[in-house]
Amino acid sequence: MLNWLSIDVVLLVITIWLGIGVAGVIALRQFGFVARVLFPLGGMCCLALAWAALQMIGSTPETAVLPLGLPQLPFHLRLDSLAAFFLLVIGAVGAGISIFAAGYFRKGAGTPPGLLCLEYHVFLASMVLVILADDAYAFMVAWETMALSSFFLVTANHKLPEVQEAGFLYLLIAHVGAIGILLCFGVLQANSGDYTFANMRIQSLSPFWASTAFILALFGFGAKAGMLPLHVWLPEAHPAAPSPVSALMSGIMLKTAIYGLLRISFDLLHVNVWWWGGLLLALGLATALFGVVFATVQTDMKRLLAYSSIENIGLLLAGIGLALIFHAYNMSALTALALTAVLYHVVSHAFFKSLLFLGTGAVLHATGERNLGRLGGLIRYMPWVAWLMLIGVFASSGLPPFSGFVSEWLLLQSFLFTPGLPDSFLNMFIPIVAAVIALVAALAGYAMVKFFGVIFLGQPREEKLKEAHDAGLWEKIGMLWLAAWCIALGLFPNFLIRLIDSVTVSLVGAGLGRHTTESSWLFLAPSSIERASFAPLLFLLGVTIGCLVAFALVRILYHGRLRRTPPWDCGHPWQTARMQDTAEGFGQPIRQIFEPFFRMKRHLPTPMDRNPSYKVEVGDHFWHWLYLPIARLIEFLAGLVGRLQQGRISIYLLYSFLTLLFMLFLVQR
Amino acid sequence: MNALISQLINLFASVILILAFAMLSQRRIVNLIHLYTWQGLAVVGSTVVVAYVTHQHHLFYSAALTFLLKVILIPYFLHRLINRLNVRWDIETLFNIPTLMIIGIILVVFAFNVALPIAKFSDTVAHGTLGIALACILLSFLMMITRAKAVPQVIGFLAMENALFLAATSATYGMPMVVELGIALDVLVGILILGVFMFQIREQFDSLDIRHLEKLKED
């Protein structure tokens, strides 16, 4: 029996993934082999990764130096609790997605399956490397590999023009963000010339440079996470990608940005200024509110989920902001509480959002539709997908006893502890923030009701939906795995919190562990059981008993007869499926209330129209006021530069000649 | 005796400079190749003298290499090339040669001016020729700019390489042998590739006039 370190297992997993990718390229068009052998094998590797990470959380960090890279510049890797925690998320969620992908990819147009297999596994491997990296060089290489491999995955159907545009936008913002991160590392190494994280940890920066580094990191990682105003790529790229890829990107890739932000603000930077937290809090809230309001008015199911991802990222950022504020005032217990909420939400969002994206993939395959206006009533034809999605929807809306509730509850709890802050301004301000978070959570529920209701409830809006088939076996297994964790994390939160505990202890020197071990496994009590506690199992028991009693009472006391009618017919005797409430109709109140958020173009029919049509386009102010002006400016500047290009060799030679003369002139001075 | 030999270095250098001017104003392609060959020979001569004066043995090797390459091999290639392309007796129109000469003189003055402070720090026997070498580089560059046909442009490029070699010899007694071998190989491969390009250009445009390449520009 070999005595392997966890980091060796992780490296082995990466190697196997790359091997699977190569095997995929060799068996480029052998669809059955790629789908039924390679993808499940990749899924098994994910499980091994999760297992290795689980062993690792809470033990002493392991390091490794890979002899890869440039001479004198090897890759430094380090596996500590924070990294292991994110690896656990990647492994556990990736396993479900890989199994689903085994049944998802179909023969046909687009990228050949073997190539998709390569890109998919390189993407996974690069995300693991991002988490493992312990120097700026390895980090940037892995980070760019991640961006590139996911770009190729997004453009799997590269023949479609909108996919090309989405891919370009994604790549552009990913690179702009990468510049921010690179500059941030440049500031962090403080002119010592050594780019390892170990060196950055011991540097002490002045508040000005520390703030610069933080802003740059915020910009860079915010671009990857989809923070306002760098969010525009997200609602374009997620719908363009195949569903397992959307699930990977939304569930895991966005979390690598959260990881980077945590790594830099809690591990590498020691200086802590309270306004960093304030800034992050404000941006996070704006992102969350913006995301959720846009989610409610979407009519494309994957766009809706993409905006919901923006919302969740906003919540995460707000949580990190709060943790930074507590950290700046040295309130380590409360910092740990806020961080716990953030890390819990990372896990739960990874599970439920990938589950939902996979579900949309199954619906897309069964019906060929992404537009909510042409779906409906699918619960009768796709019961497996519908019920599994329902679990994801519950978790996403933050309903107990599912995983989303625990994290949002913890987040709200941490906001309610702010009166202890020494700054009176913050004391007054932050309760308002808590109210906004409650609003966001409520609106998220609204968006999810719309999402599930319009797709699965009511009556089919199109005839062809009646031929929809349920998901295949692989797809069911994948979704079942994710859904099971959504429930398990909601019912037994203390187990995960114990894991998170060692992460927060290593980051800020405090954790919730004491409270969770004091209170039994039944109760979740972040501070003390008198102050606030949540017992998911008791809650579930109560709800179940309540439902059973209500059901029994209705059957016994009321007349007990059954009457079957078409759903959602509103009591009209003659109606068609098109008269049901639609996605537009459901989102209309929000569109009215939050009108300043949108840039709307309405086409209303006049009473004289023979074929009346109603159309509304919902646009994004940021696109119009921020991105288009920048694009125009760049186009103008590029036009100026373009004048240099005359196409004559003599002119080009003259340029070099004049440059040479000028340089010589400078030398002479 | 040594002083006399040092003067010999300056003589060779000025021959190279005169040849550079001659190339700048030469319109006939075949004559250009002859001039280039002579220039190569002058470079070899100056290298041998420097090697003799300073007892730098590796400079003898590099002189031999230069002789082989720039006096025999490349002129041979070029002659073959213009025969095959059938441009041996072609004449190129140049704009106003006296103006070109004046620009050239200005460049030479500028180059001497630039090289003066550098040459002061150098204690090599050939430090006086650095300005000439720099001037030759600039003149060859000017020649490349003013030519519209492909073959003279390539010759300009090769002449520039000659001048660079001269600069290296005069300032630091030559580059390390590895670098020199590398550059020699580069030049050889470069001329082969450019030869292929010329055939391609002619096939595409029925002419060796590189103004046609403007059509390749994207609008």
Side-chain angles (χ1 to χ4, degrees), chain A residues 648, chain B residues 24-29 89-97 100 143 145-149 152 209 211:
Chain A
R648 283 180 66 169
Chain B
L24 192 60
S25 55
Q26 182 52 255
R27 288 193 285 188
R28 220 175 265 277
I29 287 177
W89 304 108
D90 269 23
I91 293 176
E92 208 182 355
T93 47
L94 286 175
F95 60 76
N96 207 338
I97 291 177
L100 216 53
M143 175 183 161
I145 292 173
T146 52
R147 301 297 169 133
K149 293 256 165 73
D209 198 331
R211 284 191 203 121

Side-chain angles (χ1 to χ4, degrees), chain A residues 11-41:
Chain A
L11 288 175
L12 182 71
V13 166
I14 292 179
T15 320
I16 297 179
W17 274 338
L18 296 179
I20 290 174
V22 173
V25 173
I26 292 170
L28 194 57
R29 295 187 190 277
Q30 286 164 7
F31 178 78
F33 175 68
V34 169
R36 303 287 183 260
V37 178
L38 292 184
F39 271 103
L41 192 61

Side-chain angles (χ1 to χ4, degrees), chain A residues 23-310:
Chain A
V25 173
I26 292 170
L28 194 57
R29 295 187 190 277
Q30 286 164 7
F31 178 78
F33 175 68
V34 169
R36 303 287 183 260
V37 178
L38 292 184
F39 271 103
L41 192 61
M44 292 296 113
C45 289
C46 286
L47 284 184
L49 176 75
W51 178 79
L54 197 59
Q55 304 298 314
M56 188 52 224
I57 292 180
S59 34
T60 48
E62 294 170 2
T63 55
V65 179
L66 287 191
L68 292 174
L70 297 173
Q72 309 296 324
L73 204 60
F75 282 179
H76 294 79
L77 303 180
R78 184 162 178 270
L79 183 59
D80 59 2
S81 292
L82 179 65
F85 181 77
F86 278 87
L87 288 186
L88 180 65
V89 179
I90 294 182
V93 177
I97 299 174
S98 285
I99 298 291
F100 180 92
Y104 180 81
F105 288 118
R106 300 284 198 269
K107 289 177 191 171
T111 313
L115 213 50
L116 273 179
C117 172
L118 173 73
E119 292 157 6
Y120 181 92
H121 288 104
V122 169
F123 184 37
L124 275 176
S126 59
M127 286 194 289
V128 172
L129 266 183
V130 163
I131 306 281
L132 276 186
D134 195 36
D135 65 273
Y137 171 55
F139 188 93
M140 289 315 293
V141 169
W143 186 261
E144 289 292 288
T145 314
M146 183 173 86
L148 277 182
S149 51
S150 53
F151 165 75
F152 285 114
L153 284 169
V154 165
T155 52
N157 295 317
H158 55 85
K159 302 253 163 66
L160 305 175
E162 70 261 25
V163 171
Q164 288 169 5
E165 278 171 26
F168 175 74
L169 189 63
Y170 170 51
L171 199 63
L172 182 72
I173 293 191
H175 275 92
V176 170
I179 294 172
I181 299 172
L182 192 63
L183 291 178
C184 166
F185 285 136
V187 173
L188 280 177
Q189 53 97 17
N191 258 343
S192 58
D194 183 358
Y195 282 84
T196 55
F197 286 177
N199 176 47
M200 293 176 190
R201 267 183 211 108
I202 55 170
Q203 300 294 336
S204 53
L205 296 169
S206 69
F208 172 75
W209 284 111
S211 301
T212 313
F214 178 76
I215 299 282
L216 285 169
L218 186 59
F219 176 80
F221 290 116
K224 182 59 93 182
M227 182 184 74
L228 222 62
L230 298 161
H231 61 282
V232 286
W233 63 272
L234 221 140
E236 306 299 325
H238 281 349
S243 292
V245 177
S246 319
L248 270 189
M249 286 173 67
S250 179
I252 306 179
M253 190 187 76
L254 300 186
K255 306 302 182 306
T256 59
I258 297 294
Y259 163 80
L261 208 53
L262 286 176
R263 172 68 74 196
I264 285 186
S265 44
F266 284 98
D267 191 11
L268 301 185
L269 277 174
H270 304 294
V271 195
N272 217 326
V273 188
W274 73 267
W275 63 260
W276 296 357
L279 177 70
L280 200 50
L281 193 59
L283 278 173
L285 277 185
T287 309
L289 194 59
F290 175 89
V292 75
V293 167
F294 268 75
T296 52
V297 300
Q298 295 306 312
T299 53
D300 176 319
M301 56 180 177
K302 287 179 95 175
R303 277 181 88 91
L304 190 150
L305 289 182
Y307 276 112
S308 158
S309 292
I310 296 180

Side-chain angles (χ1 to χ4, degrees), chain A residues 381-653:
Chain A
Y381 311 106
M382 310 178 69
W384 273 89
V385 175
W387 285 101
L388 290 174
M389 288 273 263
L390 186 62
I391 293 170
V393 162
F394 278 151
S396 182
S397 334
L399 292 184
F402 295 93
S403 62
F405 174 77
V406 179
S407 48
E408 286 186 15
W409 185 71
L410 282 175
L411 196 61
L412 277 174
Q413 285 295 327
S414 51
F415 273 102
L416 295 178
F417 279 109
T418 45
L421 282 174
D423 189 319
S424 59
F425 174 69
L426 283 176
N427 274 344
M428 287 185 292
F429 181 64
I430 287 182
I432 303 173
V433 172
V436 176
I437 287 197
L439 172 69
V440 168
L443 285 174
Y446 187 94
M448 282 301 140
V449 167
K450 167 178 161 173
F451 176 74
F452 188 79
V454 175
I455 297 179
F456 290 108
L457 304 182
Q459 300 169 32
R461 291 186 176 79
E462 302 267 323
E463 271 306 303
K464 64 174 181 182
L465 296 186
K466 291 182 177 158
E467 285 141 32
H469 54 86
D470 211 345
L473 181 63
W474 289 107
E475 295 164 290
K476 277 182 205 161
I477 296 174
M479 291 178 71
L480 207 56
W481 166 263
L482 295 175
W485 281 107
C486 284
I487 298 176
L489 291 178
L491 287 182
F492 307 104
N494 281 352
F495 292 100
L496 183 61
I497 285 179
R498 250 164 243 158
L499 289 181
I500 294 176
D501 200 44
S502 27
V503 181
T504 54
V505 166
S506 74
L507 282 185
V508 296
L512 302 185
R514 197 170 46 82
H515 305 299
T516 46
T517 39
E518 265 175 18
S519 54
S520 61
W521 54 274
L522 201 56
F523 288 93
L524 168 62
S527 56
S528 63
I529 197 152
E530 292 82 26
R531 172 139 187 176
S533 65
F534 167 57
L537 276 181
L538 292 184
F539 177 86
L540 181 65
L541 200 66
V543 169
T544 319
I545 291 174
C547 286
L548 287 178
V549 166
F551 182 74
L553 285 180
V554 168
R555 287 308 290 264
I556 295 164
L557 298 182
Y558 203 52
H559 50 66
R561 288 193 308 269
L562 273 179
R563 186 166 67 94
R564 286 188 183 277
T565 56
W568 289 20
D569 72 347
C570 303
H572 284 296
W574 303 282
Q575 72 136 25
T576 68
R578 302 211 58 85
M579 291 161 71
Q580 301 172 87
D581 198 0
T582 58
E584 280 93 351
F586 206 89
Q588 202 266 350
I590 300 290
R591 238 174 32 225
Q592 291 292 330
I593 299 169
F594 292 93
E595 194 160 2
F597 277 63
F598 308 112
R599 191 181 159 77
M600 272 190 285
K601 271 192 206 153
R602 283 200 192 82
H603 302 278
L604 295 174
T606 62
M608 305 301 162
D609 268 351
R610 285 292 166 89
N611 299 311
S613 72
Y614 168 76
K615 201 174 156 196
V616 59
E617 282 172 26
V618 178
D620 187 339
H621 281 304
F622 284 99
W623 187 251
H624 193 260
W625 293 111
L626 184 65
Y627 284 83
L628 290 184
I630 291 178
R632 276 197 293 270
L633 180 69
I634 288 177
E635 208 167 353
F636 172 71
L637 292 178
L640 287 185
V641 174
R643 294 209 185 152
L644 288 175
Q645 305 277 355
Q646 295 290 342
R648 283 180 66 169
I649 289 182
S650 314
I651 302 281
Y652 294 129
L653 284 173

